[in-house]
Amino acid sequence: EPLRVFATGGCHVDPNIRHLEGAEAFDTANILVDFEGGVVASIDVCRKAVYGYDQRAELLGTEGMMQSENLFPTTVRKATADWFGHADKPHDFFMNRYAVAYETETAAFARAITDGAQVPVDGWDGVRSLRLPPPPGERGPPGGRGGDDENS
Protein backbone atom coordinates (compact mmCIF):
# COMPACT_ATOMS: atom_id res chain seq x y z
CA GLU A 1 0.00 0.00 0.00
CA PRO A 2 1.27 3.51 -0.77
CA LEU A 3 2.10 5.57 2.31
CA ARG A 4 2.98 8.97 0.85
CA VAL A 5 3.10 10.70 -2.50
CA PHE A 6 5.35 13.64 -3.37
CA ALA A 7 4.67 15.40 -6.66
CA THR A 8 5.85 18.44 -8.54
CA GLY A 9 5.01 19.68 -11.98
CA GLY A 10 4.80 22.61 -14.29
CA CYS A 11 3.89 23.86 -17.72
CA HIS A 12 7.00 23.46 -19.88
CA VAL A 13 5.68 22.20 -23.22
CA ASP A 14 2.20 23.56 -23.98
CA PRO A 15 1.59 27.22 -23.03
CA ASN A 16 -2.06 26.83 -24.11
CA ILE A 17 -2.89 24.97 -20.88
CA ARG A 18 -1.38 27.46 -18.40
CA HIS A 19 -4.82 28.99 -17.73
CA LEU A 20 -6.27 25.69 -16.46
CA GLU A 21 -6.88 25.05 -12.75
CA GLY A 22 -4.46 23.13 -10.50
CA ALA A 23 -2.63 20.14 -11.89
CA GLU A 24 -4.59 20.37 -15.17
CA ALA A 25 -2.14 23.18 -16.08
CA PHE A 26 0.81 20.78 -15.80
CA ASP A 27 2.21 19.15 -18.90
CA THR A 28 5.25 17.76 -17.11
CA ALA A 29 5.38 16.15 -13.66
CA ASN A 30 7.56 14.04 -11.39
CA ILE A 31 6.00 11.84 -8.72
CA LEU A 32 7.59 9.80 -5.92
CA VAL A 33 5.46 7.21 -4.12
CA ASP A 34 6.65 5.74 -0.80
CA PHE A 35 5.34 2.22 -0.12
CA GLU A 36 5.38 0.02 2.95
CA GLY A 37 8.68 -1.80 3.36
CA GLY A 38 10.76 1.09 2.00
CA VAL A 39 9.96 0.65 -1.71
CA VAL A 40 9.93 3.90 -3.67
CA ALA A 41 8.31 4.35 -7.09
CA SER A 42 9.40 7.18 -9.36
CA ILE A 43 7.06 8.36 -12.11
CA ASP A 44 7.96 10.89 -14.82
CA VAL A 45 5.21 12.11 -17.12
CA CYS A 46 4.92 14.56 -19.98
CA ARG A 47 1.91 15.23 -22.18
CA LYS A 48 4.06 15.40 -25.30
CA ALA A 49 6.70 13.11 -26.75
CA VAL A 50 7.66 14.02 -30.33
CA TYR A 51 8.26 10.35 -31.15
CA GLY A 52 4.81 9.11 -30.07
CA TYR A 53 2.99 8.00 -26.93
CA ASP A 54 5.76 7.09 -24.48
CA GLN A 55 4.94 4.80 -21.59
CA ARG A 56 7.64 2.64 -20.05
CA ALA A 57 8.15 1.06 -16.65
CA GLU A 58 11.24 -0.23 -14.90
CA LEU A 59 11.66 -2.17 -11.69
CA LEU A 60 15.10 -2.13 -10.10
CA GLY A 61 15.98 -4.35 -7.15
CA THR A 62 18.95 -5.86 -5.40
CA GLU A 63 18.65 -9.08 -7.41
CA GLY A 64 17.85 -7.75 -10.84
CA MET A 65 15.81 -5.46 -13.06
CA MET A 66 12.61 -5.72 -15.12
CA GLN A 67 11.42 -3.39 -17.89
CA SER A 68 8.22 -2.85 -19.80
CA GLU A 69 8.82 -1.09 -23.09
CA ASN A 70 6.55 0.90 -25.38
CA LEU A 71 4.22 -1.01 -27.69
CA PHE A 72 4.81 -0.54 -31.40
CA PRO A 73 2.54 -1.27 -34.39
CA THR A 74 5.12 -3.72 -35.78
CA THR A 75 8.28 -5.48 -34.65
CA VAL A 76 10.22 -3.98 -37.58
CA ARG A 77 13.56 -2.44 -36.63
CA LYS A 78 15.72 -0.22 -38.77
CA ALA A 79 19.51 -0.21 -38.68
CA THR A 80 21.80 2.30 -40.40
CA ALA A 81 25.30 3.60 -39.75
CA ASP A 82 23.77 6.41 -37.66
CA TRP A 83 20.79 4.79 -35.95
CA PHE A 84 19.35 1.50 -34.72
CA GLY A 85 15.82 1.14 -33.41
CA HIS A 86 12.15 0.64 -34.16
CA ALA A 87 11.04 1.66 -37.63
CA ASP A 88 7.65 2.80 -36.25
CA LYS A 89 6.77 5.29 -33.55
CA PRO A 90 5.00 3.82 -30.50
CA HIS A 91 1.22 3.53 -30.65
CA ASP A 92 -0.19 7.05 -30.42
CA PHE A 93 -3.70 6.30 -29.17
CA PHE A 94 -4.71 4.53 -25.97
CA MET A 95 -7.30 2.33 -27.72
CA ASN A 96 -4.54 0.90 -29.92
CA ARG A 97 -2.15 0.49 -27.02
CA TYR A 98 -4.61 -1.12 -24.61
CA ALA A 99 -6.89 -3.15 -26.91
CA VAL A 100 -5.82 -6.46 -25.35
CA ALA A 101 -6.27 -5.04 -21.83
CA TYR A 102 -9.81 -3.90 -22.67
CA GLU A 103 -10.64 -7.34 -24.10
CA THR A 104 -9.25 -9.05 -20.98
CA GLU A 105 -11.17 -6.71 -18.67
CA THR A 106 -14.42 -7.28 -20.57
CA ALA A 107 -13.94 -11.06 -20.46
CA ALA A 108 -13.25 -10.94 -16.68
CA PHE A 109 -16.41 -8.86 -16.17
CA ALA A 110 -18.47 -11.34 -18.19
CA ARG A 111 -17.06 -14.28 -16.15
CA ALA A 112 -17.95 -12.45 -12.93
CA ILE A 113 -21.55 -12.02 -14.09
CA THR A 114 -22.10 -15.44 -15.67
CA ASP A 115 -19.93 -17.66 -13.43
CA GLY A 116 -19.64 -15.61 -10.23
CA ALA A 117 -15.87 -15.36 -10.71
CA GLN A 118 -13.83 -12.86 -8.70
CA VAL A 119 -13.04 -9.62 -10.56
CA PRO A 120 -9.35 -8.63 -10.66
CA VAL A 121 -10.14 -5.02 -9.67
CA ASP A 122 -13.07 -3.99 -7.52
CA GLY A 123 -14.59 -0.93 -5.89
CA TRP A 124 -12.19 -1.12 -2.95
CA ASP A 125 -9.29 -0.50 -5.35
CA GLY A 126 -11.00 2.76 -6.29
CA VAL A 127 -11.52 3.66 -2.61
CA ARG A 128 -7.83 3.01 -1.87
CA SER A 129 -6.78 5.28 -4.73
CA LEU A 130 -8.89 8.10 -3.24
CA ARG A 131 -6.93 7.83 -0.02
CA LEU A 132 -3.73 8.81 -1.80
CA PRO A 133 -2.68 12.45 -1.55
CA PRO A 134 -3.94 14.78 -4.27
CA PRO A 135 -1.84 16.32 -7.05
CA PRO A 136 0.03 19.54 -6.20
CA GLY A 137 -2.28 22.51 -5.80
CA GLU A 138 -5.42 20.41 -5.25
CA ARG A 139 -7.21 19.31 -2.12
CA GLY A 140 -7.94 15.65 -1.56
CA PRO A 141 -11.07 13.93 -0.31
CA PRO A 142 -11.90 14.12 3.41
CA GLY A 143 -9.87 11.56 5.32
CA GLY A 144 -7.35 11.12 2.50
CA ARG A 145 -3.70 10.50 3.30
CA GLY A 146 -1.46 13.36 2.31
CA GLY A 147 2.18 14.29 2.11
CA ASP A 148 1.92 17.73 3.72
CA ASP A 149 -0.82 19.68 5.46
CA GLU A 150 -1.21 22.17 2.62
CA ASN A 151 -2.13 19.59 -0.01
CA SER A 152 -3.90 16.90 2.01
Side-chain angles (χ1 to χ4, degrees):
E1 292 289 320
L3 299 175
R4 292 182 296 182
V5 175
F6 303 93
T8 185
C11 185
H12 304 289
V13 179
D14 185 0
N16 295 319
I17 66 169
R18 283 199 176 114
H19 70 281
L20 298 174
E21 297 280 324
E24 288 298 314
F26 295 175
D27 55 28
T28 307
N30 297 75
I31 302 101
L32 290 176
V33 183
D34 284 342
F35 289 91
E36 295 173 357
V39 173
V40 177
S42 172
I43 304 165
D44 303 316
V45 294
C46 183
R47 290 188 186 190
K48 182 176 182 178
V50 295
Y51 49 86
Y53 189 84
D54 188 2
Q55 187 172 348
R56 294 168 282 160
E58 181 175 292
L59 217 55
L60 178 63
T62 57
E63 297 184 27
M65 183 267 298
M66 206 160 85
Q67 284 182 328
S68 170
E69 291 290 336
N70 287 306
L71 295 176
F72 293 84
T74 70
T75 58
V76 175
R77 289 184 165 264
K78 178 181 176 181
T80 68
D82 300 322
W83 185 76
F84 180 86
H86 287 275
D88 304 303
K89 290 182 178 181
H91 283 296
D92 61 351
F93 184 57
F94 71 96
M95 291 298 288
N96 295 336
R97 177 176 287 270
Y98 298 114
V100 173
Y102 291 127
E103 291 170 15
T104 303
E105 183 179 2
T106 302
F109 180 71
R111 280 193 304 278
I113 291 174
T114 59
D115 304 336
Q118 190 74 15
V119 291
V121 178
D122 62 23
W124 288 112
D125 294 304
V127 169
R128 282 192 291 275
S129 72
L130 292 173
R131 291 185 178 144
L132 291 173
E138 293 186 14
R139 300 198 65 70
R145 295 185 297 197
D148 60 52
D149 290 336
E150 182 179 320
N151 290 330
S152 53

